[in-house]
């Protein structure tokens, strides 16, 4: 009721707002886990069966598939929804019965991909890079934890738009000559727009939408989850700043 009174949105016609986790059934939870497992298998199989290129090339193909899917999902959500950066409910929990219901499934695809790509890097020395592994180790557990208790899941869904820069980066690796040069410029622009500007806006929304009263209203376990995810997000901001300096 407090949320409905503070926000003049299309949710005003709902009698009650229920978070995604509160409305989640046992079957839905199992389906989310299933999506994560299938995503890990799918991306690993794609890496193994791709008919051309070395291990690094094939890992980029899997990366391209993941980035294209998650960015498409976020852009589709943004095309029909307004981001309410100051809303604790919308940024930290998601509202059941809306397009937010798809967020955990998309996030689960990324959890599966991170697990698959981390395994590929551990088993193929020519694919392994320290910064990419650090990214997966930081982001993967945070995403998985949010799938478990729902805290921060919408923010993480929006963070997936940062993968937009991965698409031209891979195209740059696949091409030569003028196409390679153009892809490099597009990558730099996409990185600034998606990771530096949009990603930083989502990061700031964590603090904008969540007061100390909201934090203390959480259960001890959810408070620990929130603190862990904020820490991971902060480290990822530092990692993105490092990548920006390299660019």
């Amino acid at each position: 009721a407090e949320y409905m009174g503070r926000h003049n949105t299309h949710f005003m016609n709902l009698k009650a707002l229920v978070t995604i986790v509160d409305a989640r059934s046992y079957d839905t939870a199992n389906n989310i886990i299933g999506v994560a497992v299938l995503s890990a298998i799918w991306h690993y199989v794609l890496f193994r069966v791709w008919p051309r290129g070395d291990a690094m090339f094939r890992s980029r193909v899997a990366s391209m598939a993941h980035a294209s899917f998650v960015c498409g999902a976020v852009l589709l959500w943004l095309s029909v929804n307004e981001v309410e950066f100051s809303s604790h409910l919308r940024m930290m929990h998601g509202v059941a019965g809306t397009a937010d219901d798809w967020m955990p499934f998309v996030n689960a695809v990324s959890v599966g991909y991170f697990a698959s790509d981390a395994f590929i890097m551990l088993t193929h020395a020519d694919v392994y890079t320290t910064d990419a592994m650090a990214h997966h180790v930081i982001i993967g557990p945070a995403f998985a934890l949010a799938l478990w208790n729902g805290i921060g899941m919408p923010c993480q869904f929006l963070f997936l738009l940062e993968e937009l820069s991965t698409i031209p980066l891979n195209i740059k690796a696949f091409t030569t000559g003028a196409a390679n040069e153009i892809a490099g410029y597009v990558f730099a622009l996409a990185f600034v727009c998606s990771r530096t500007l949009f990603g930083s806006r989502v990061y700031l929304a964590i603090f904008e939408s969540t007061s100390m009263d909201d934090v203390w209203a959480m259960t001890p376990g959810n408070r620990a989850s929130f603190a862990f995810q904020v820490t991971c997000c902060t480290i990822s901001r530092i990692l993105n700043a490092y990548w920006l300096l390299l660019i």
Side-chain angles (χ1 to χ4, degrees):
E2 179 186 357
Y3 175 84
M4 292 170 69
R6 288 188 289 114
H7 296 79
N8 182 25
T9 69
H10 60 283
F11 295 112
M12 291 291 288
N13 63 347
L14 298 180
K15 293 182 178 179
L17 296 177
V18 182
T19 67
I20 293 174
V21 171
D22 289 338
R24 182 182 294 172
S25 68
Y26 180 79
D27 288 340
T28 300
N30 283 340
N31 290 341
I32 293 171
I33 295 173
V35 168
V37 172
L38 288 176
S39 173
I41 295 172
W42 155 251
H43 286 99
Y44 184 73
V45 169
L46 183 62
F47 166 79
R48 295 292 298 180
V49 305
W50 194 259
R52 58 182 291 259
D54 57 12
M56 177 60 82
F57 184 96
R58 289 182 282 116
S59 84
R60 290 188 179 278
V61 171
S63 168
M64 190 81 158
H66 167 255
S68 299
F69 174 79
V70 297
C71 288
V74 177
L75 290 172
L76 181 61
W77 187 93
L78 290 172
S79 70
V80 296
N81 293 275
E82 177 184 354
V83 182
E84 299 179 53
F85 289 111
S86 61
S87 167
H88 180 71
L89 179 63
R90 293 306 304 275
M91 296 304 294
M92 287 294 113
H93 301 283
V95 180
T98 71
D100 296 359
D101 285 335
W102 291 102
M103 290 179 175
F105 293 98
V106 177
N107 290 9
V109 170
S110 284
V111 170
Y113 166 73
F114 293 144
S116 171
D117 198 47
F119 179 76
I120 290 170
M121 284 193 285
L122 289 174
T123 55
H124 294 77
D126 51 340
V127 177
Y128 182 92
T129 61
T130 302
D131 51 350
M133 179 59 78
H135 174 271
H136 292 353
V137 169
I138 294 167
I139 301 302
F143 267 62
L145 189 59
L147 286 179
W148 176 260
N149 60 22
I151 301 296
M153 186 165 48
C155 273
Q156 292 181 354
F157 173 80
L158 294 173
F159 272 130
L160 287 175
L161 193 60
E162 292 188 330
E163 292 296 321
L164 191 64
S165 63
T166 302
I167 298 173
L169 177 62
N170 286 327
I171 293 175
K172 176 176 169 60
F174 295 155
T175 57
T176 58
N180 177 275
E181 185 175 357
I182 293 172
Y185 287 119
V186 174
F187 161 66
L189 178 62
F191 190 98
V192 171
C193 291
S194 64
R195 292 185 179 269
T196 305
L197 298 179
F198 183 77
S200 296
R201 182 65 185 92
V202 175
Y203 175 72
L204 292 176
I206 298 173
F207 307 97
E208 180 182 341
S209 65
T210 306
S211 66
M212 288 306 300
D213 289 338
D214 293 321
V215 174
W216 287 112
M218 299 176 186
T219 64
N222 285 350
R223 275 200 301 273
S225 171
F226 177 76
F228 175 75
Q229 291 181 59
V230 170
T231 301
C232 290
C233 287
T234 302
I235 296 173
S236 75
R237 293 299 94 204
I238 296 172
L239 184 59
N240 281 333
Y242 167 72
W243 284 338
L244 183 62
L245 289 175
L246 294 181
I247 294 172

